[in-house]
Amino acid sequence: MTDSVGAIVLAGGRGSRLGGADKSGITIAGRPMLETVVGAVAAVVGPVVTVGPGGDTREEPAFSGPVAGIAAGLAALADRVDLVVVVACDLPDLDADTLRRLVAALDRPAADSTGRPAAEPTGRPAAALAVDADGRDQYLLAVWHRRDLASRLEALGRSGGLAGRPVRALYDDEVVTRVTVGAPARDVDTWAEVAASGPIALAHVRAVLRAGLTPLPTTARPPLEAAGAVLAAPLVAADPMPREPVSAMDGYALACEGPWRLTGRARRAGDDSPAGLVAGTAAPIATGALVPAGSDRVLRHELVEVTRDGSGPAVVTALPRAAGQNDLRPAGEDWAAGHELADAGATLDPALASAALSAGLTSVTVRGPVRAVVVTTGDEILPAHTPSPLPPGRIRDTVGPLLVEVLGRAGLACSGPPGHCPDTAEAMDAVLTGRAGSATSDADVVVLVGATGRGVADHLRPALDRAGATIVLDGVRVRPGGSQLVAALPDGRVLLGLPGNPLAAVSAAATTGRALVDALTGRSRPEVLVPVPGLDRAAAPGRTRILPARPDGAGGWSLSARVRTAHLADLAGAPALAVVPEGAASGDLVEIIDWI
């Protein structure tokens, strides 16, 4: 093509159906969608203008819609451009041949290649419009004569402006020729469509699971019983802390200016009898005791001197170093009633459960803890305690018992020792339907180890189909642990399928297991990001790597560059896993996960 053909690539939408994610940067088949689209366009046209955050130009105002974006892109295109390719960034299957067909279609008389009548029966077409495999017009995959596009934009601007206009408004009064292009016109607007496009990036797992799974129901429970669950509503204090003025230390309650006559009786914690002090008097007081009425100060023992003069009451005198000191805790010193102690999404750990009790709460609204059961698969697997010698071709279960701990760190509460599923279709059906026993039927999540591949002994996918399950995630671009699967079962349970190799199973449990808990409970979980030396040597193109991480003794971390998945020997002495993003460069930060 010559420089008379240019392109406008739109990449500035809000991505509302993707939870606000930057659609242009979402990777499909290991490549950001924007990169795929720009690559296809650049093979066909001369000038290319990208419109959106970080692009060559922006629509005005920002996020004012595709029509405003097209106008901004057209204004930025060189004057020599006569034909304009208009394309969105969310077409992961777009190729150069499809664009060439659309450009060539403008050289033919107006016709509808789908058999439908054109907008007008005669006349030169203003645009060639792509039609997808389902027969739908794809308004953001088209080629326009520049003069017609400019004229249409001008008309829309005069009749109410461009901001917020649906893109189909561009075509309402135009003669177009439709070109059925099929799969290359497929757009990706939701996380389900991202997941359906093949193994997804590890960075997208959390969003895919949040979009594809139903959160657990909320329950109201006493704080200590709910420890380990996730708050479904903000934790708001019912009482101030402390509720009444109390002493922070063993010492003396004092009224007004001193010295003070020691006339009051001693106050102990738990004593709620009426008590008061008048000006110039004091009373002994214990830590946590209610302060007598009239007190305005408490001083600990080491800040005062107590003397006696004859038969009168003892006198309490503040030492010079007591200046500015006060061990009286006023009501609400730590928080007032109505103070938010934690937001929804926080994990109710033991400390927060204790704080809830201090705040006067007798119940909290939570989701979880997520109950899980582990089931191993494979006829070659024997119980971990099987004595030697083992029969030929058989191995001990070296990962199932350990996964209970790994999943616990991820936030799943596993019950009982791992179960086992033989390599038969009937046994797999029993696990998925809950007939394998009460452990699998009562769990929120069934964690299946193995059977996620497509080998002759892997019965999982056919069994999911028979059970009427919905596969939410099937494969992740990560090593080790890429062969993993998450499915929603018809009865509300969730299946987490892990690879059979021990290191792959641990890696997937530690990463996707965490994301699964986030999705089911609404948990907010900040990442722990650290710099790691030699990252450029550890990273791999097109997939994330998970590597054992060990403290280097100087406050940093060192990574194992090579790992073997058939055992866990390479994890020995490594308390964490490092998540090395695909294509990471030296200086990038790496997430550190405590796997056990």
Side-chain angles (χ1 to χ4, degrees), residues 174 192 238 355 543 547:
E174 298 297 329
R543 69 177 65 245
L547 299 173

Side-chain angles (χ1 to χ4, degrees), residues 578-589:
V579 181
V580 181
E582 49 191 73
S586 180
D588 290 349
L589 296 179

Side-chain angles (χ1 to χ4, degrees), residues 82-84 106-107 124-127 143-150:
D82 297 322
L83 294 181
V84 181
L106 283 188
D107 294 332
R124 176 181 64 84
V143 179
W144 282 79
H145 286 291
R146 180 174 188 152
R147 182 180 301 175
D148 294 316
L149 179 58

